[in-house]
Amino acid sequence: MASSETPTQSYSEKWYWDDRYTNESEPFDWYQKYPSLAPLINLYVPHRNQRVLVVGCGNSVFFWNNAAFSEGMVDDGYEDVVSIDISSVVIDTMLKKYSDRPQLKYLKMDVRDMKAFEDASFDAVIDKGTLDSILCGSNSRQYSTQMLEEVWRVLKDKGVYILITYGAPNYRLRLLDESCSWATKLHVIDKSLTDQPSDTPKWELTKPVPLDAEGSSVESAIGKSPDVHYIYVCIKDESLKMEADAP
């Protein structure tokens, strides 16, 4: 175990998450809870029979109104939700807990290497903090590119990668654009909705925020340093890749 590393440097390492899930008695959830995000998920994944992959599922599935994400999707009618995590500790726990719910599938897998999945095998991939964790760790650019390329590979054409993140457009857009061929929309949600709805949301969740290539238009729409989580809806578009590859 690389004990000399800081916790954030270890976020991409299996041993870190095995240790954390083993030694922390209280389950924890990252970012937004499913009920807060459900209107947006329903908008971009409208059919309940669409196949969904949740990457870095963690143990947030212990919650419901305090927010089980994968379980929340199944409770909302989704029929095929596959959840992966690098930690065998958390996957073993989830397999036991939800053995009676066939719609919920759990697999130990590294999001940077998902060769167990065929190309174009999912309609949607949902990432609630996994890319952020990788970007906090060592070799972050290499590992994040590997992850995004794998996400793009397993998505069907016109499938959606929904990324919930702290990363503002001036940080995330270039990474997304340089990794794969996406058509990207941006949504935001107030961080306060992780606990209780605010009286006046910064921006309507299901309404895309105006987005230019550098992300500078976002500040004009919602102000400077807003207290929000950013949600990038990245649509896989094979035609964009063919254009980029054309001589």
Side-chain angles (χ1 to χ4, degrees):
M1 181 181 299
S3 57
S4 62
E5 293 183 347
T6 65
T8 54
Q9 287 176 323
S10 305
Y11 275 2
S12 61
E13 303 297 332
K14 175 184 180 296
W15 66 260
Y16 171 83
W17 294 107
D18 280 345
D19 182 70
R20 185 165 182 176
Y21 289 125
T22 299
N23 294 309
E24 292 195 12
S25 58
E26 293 297 321
F28 51 94
D29 200 7
W30 292 76
Y31 303 84
Q32 298 288 331
K33 317 225 187 292
Y34 181 74
S36 299
L37 292 170
L40 193 69
I41 302 298
N42 297 163
L43 177 65
Y44 288 105
V45 193
H47 306 296
R48 296 305 193 268
N49 63 350
Q50 289 179 286
R51 194 176 189 216
V52 178
L53 174 64
V54 178
V55 296
C57 62
N59 67 355
S60 64
V61 289
F62 277 100
F63 300 87
W64 164 225
N65 281 334
N66 289 328
F69 206 87
S70 298
E71 183 188 8
M73 291 195 73
V74 169
D75 288 344
D76 196 20
Y78 289 95
E79 300 169 4
D80 190 357
V81 180
V82 181
S83 302
I84 67 168
D85 200 281
I86 198 172
S87 170
S88 56
V89 173
V90 76
I91 292 298
D92 288 346
T93 300
M94 296 300 98
L95 286 170
K96 292 174 184 175
K97 183 174 178 67
Y98 293 109
S99 60
D100 61 340
R101 302 200 70 176
Q103 307 97 321
L104 285 166
K105 302 172 183 67
Y106 293 94
L107 298 170
K108 177 187 173 298
M109 195 178 299
D110 188 331
V111 71
R112 297 166 296 183
D113 180 8
M114 297 189 287
K115 59 179 174 290
F117 298 138
E118 295 181 359
D119 295 357
S121 53
F122 289 94
D123 298 286
V125 175
I126 298 175
D127 172 5
K128 199 157 61 80
T130 296
L131 181 63
D132 283 8
S133 293
I134 288 175
L135 288 170
C136 288
S138 57
N139 300 315
S140 60
R141 189 53 187 259
Q142 174 190 348
Y143 291 162
S144 60
T145 299
Q146 289 172 347
M147 172 187 167
L148 290 168
E149 288 176 348
E150 276 291 85
V151 167
W152 196 89
R153 181 184 67 78
V154 303
L155 275 172
K156 298 176 182 178
D157 190 32
K158 303 303 185 291
V160 293
Y161 169 47
I162 301 176
L163 168 64
I164 300 99
T165 173
Y166 284 107
N170 54 322
Y171 296 107
R172 290 291 179 269
L173 280 179
R174 178 178 293 182
L175 176 64
L176 291 167
D177 290 343
E178 290 180 355
S179 65
C180 302
S181 300
W182 305 107
T184 303
K185 297 181 182 181
L186 175 66
H187 296 257
V188 295
I189 185 169
D190 288 27
K191 290 180 183 176
S192 61
L193 290 178
T194 57
D195 298 314
Q196 57 186 12
S198 59
D199 294 333
T200 308
K202 180 69 68 176
W203 191 267
E204 183 183 343
L205 173 62
T206 56
K207 178 182 176 183
V209 178
L211 187 63
D212 57 18
E214 294 78 29
S216 57
S217 60
V218 176
E219 184 175 321
S220 301
I222 60 176
K224 188 175 182 179
S225 302
D227 193 27
V228 299
H229 287 126
Y230 298 92
I231 306 170
Y232 299 88
V233 178
C234 306
I235 303 166
K236 178 177 177 177
D237 192 334
E238 294 275 12
S239 65
L240 292 177
K241 185 177 187 301
M242 288 188 287
E243 289 175 9
D245 292 343

